[in-house]
Amino acid sequence: MLVLAAGLAGGAAGYRAGLAQAEPEIVVPPLPLTDTERTTISLFQSARESVVAISTADTVVDPWTRRSYEQPAGSGSGFLWDDRGHIVTNDHVVGGRSTATVALADGRSVEARLVGRDAAHDLAVLRIRAEDLPEPLQVGRSRDLEVGQGVLAIGNPFGLDWTLTTGIVSALDRELPSRTGRTIRGLIQTDAAINPGNSGGPLLDSAGRLIGVNTAIYSPSGASAGIGFAVPVGTVRRVVPQLIESGRYTPPSLGIEVDSRVNAAVNRQGLEGVLVLGTVPGSPAAEAGLEGARLDRAGRIVPGDVLTALDGEPLEGLDDFFAALDSREPGESVTVTLRSGRSERTVEMELVEG
């Protein structure tokens, strides 16, 4: 009886297990995507191929064996600018490093060559040589941006490759000091999460067009706190072609000689504007008869001409002057307001290549 009871009990358990296995599997249909989600997914998939990961290294020499080796130095992001293999990134990602390696979205890693740098705008250009490169990103315009519009940031934060974050344009025309001491103006502020490793990656609008290059975050902890900054595409359009052509960026010039330390000193003493220290022979400034400053017998600066406005825009110091030149092209005519002593005059001059 005990054996029979055990057999009956085992049979009942098996029967119940069979019933459980026979129950149909419940299939939960996927949640439908919204139109906004579909658009975001499509933009990311189309732009991802044009975004790259950049790793840098320094050459280190062992002081005892005198053998050299490559030591990893950092990482960042970048994106393809054209079909010739030029890659745009931040200057602080590659500046001063011995080597740079670019990782493409298809898994290839390619050694990169530095083409040019502009620390004043935190931009740099690398070049790689490889076949079947992805299409470069479409380039938008800075003047079309509005606070509140949607943006997407793609990059490699903390080494996590090809990460997408979304947000909005939080503000426009922000300013940050660059490593050269000059102020980068016109920056885009966004709440799209930007973390270490995102630097150099693209900021895109809702049509997938490049509107900025992610460059910095504002955060006491070093991680995203909802305030990130990007170099506007208008600046990128001006700087990058010159870096590709000549390896450096020089804004248009009037042919005046200035000094940042001297100008800052006279500004602190109450003299607003740009102190002309001299003129380049044959330049527009020389032909217009601008007078440079001089030193008196006591070694004090005696101002000559001081630039106080450019096309009616007041110039408080050199930062204003450089920013005004950055937004113009060689060949443009500008009206310069000059003060000499208590007299003031305006002169029209043509900008030349710097």
Side-chain angles (χ1 to χ4, degrees), residues 278-314:
T279 60
V280 178
S283 68
E287 294 176 357
L290 270 64
E291 294 289 336
R294 60 182 178 85
L295 296 176
D296 63 14
R297 293 182 178 180
R300 292 171 298 193
I301 295 175
V302 179
D305 281 315
V306 178
L307 278 66
T308 58
L310 190 71
D311 285 338
E313 301 175 14

Side-chain angles (χ1 to χ4, degrees), residues 39 41 55 69-70 125 130 181 199-201 203 257 293 298:
T39 300
I41 292 169
S55 57
Y69 60 94
E70 295 293 319
V125 175
S199 292
L203 187 70
E257 297 173 353

Side-chain angles (χ1 to χ4, degrees), residues 80-87 127-130 133 244-245:
L80 282 161
W81 176 258
D82 56 27
D83 57 5
R84 295 186 292 160
H86 289 114
I87 291 170
R127 189 176 188 185
I128 60 173
R129 297 191 179 277
L133 290 174
I244 292 174
E245 182 178 350

Side-chain angles (χ1 to χ4, degrees), residues 311-341:
D311 285 338
E313 301 175 14
L315 304 175
E316 295 184 3
L318 273 180
D319 274 352
D320 292 339
F321 179 59
F322 288 137
L325 293 181
D326 270 346
S327 63
R328 291 165 171 82
E329 301 287 343
E332 286 188 36
S333 292
V334 294
T335 300
V336 179
T337 304
L338 300 164
R339 186 177 64 246
S340 181

Side-chain angles (χ1 to χ4, degrees), residues 81-82 84 86 88 115-118 121 123-125 234-253 325-330 352-354:
W81 176 258
D82 56 27
R84 295 186 292 160
H86 289 114
V88 175
V115 173
R117 297 172 50 197
D118 177 31
H121 295 94
L123 291 172
V125 175
T235 301
V236 179
R237 281 180 177 271
R238 291 195 305 272
V239 173
V240 167
Q242 281 199 36
L243 295 182
I244 292 174
E245 182 178 350
S246 64
R248 63 191 183 95
Y249 172 71
T250 53
S253 172
L325 293 181
D326 270 346
S327 63
R328 291 165 171 82
E329 301 287 343
V352 297
E353 292 186 0

Side-chain angles (χ1 to χ4, degrees), residues 201-224:
L203 187 70
L204 308 175
D205 65 10
S206 56
R209 296 170 301 192
L210 176 74
I211 58 171
V213 178
N214 301 320
T215 186
I217 58 173
Y218 179 80
S219 170
S221 67
S224 176

Side-chain angles (χ1 to χ4, degrees), residues 58-71 98:
D58 287 330
T59 301
V60 178
V61 178
D62 189 302
W64 301 105
T65 64
R66 308 307 299 172
R67 293 179 179 175
S68 62
Y69 60 94
E70 295 293 319
Q71 178 174 292
S98 303

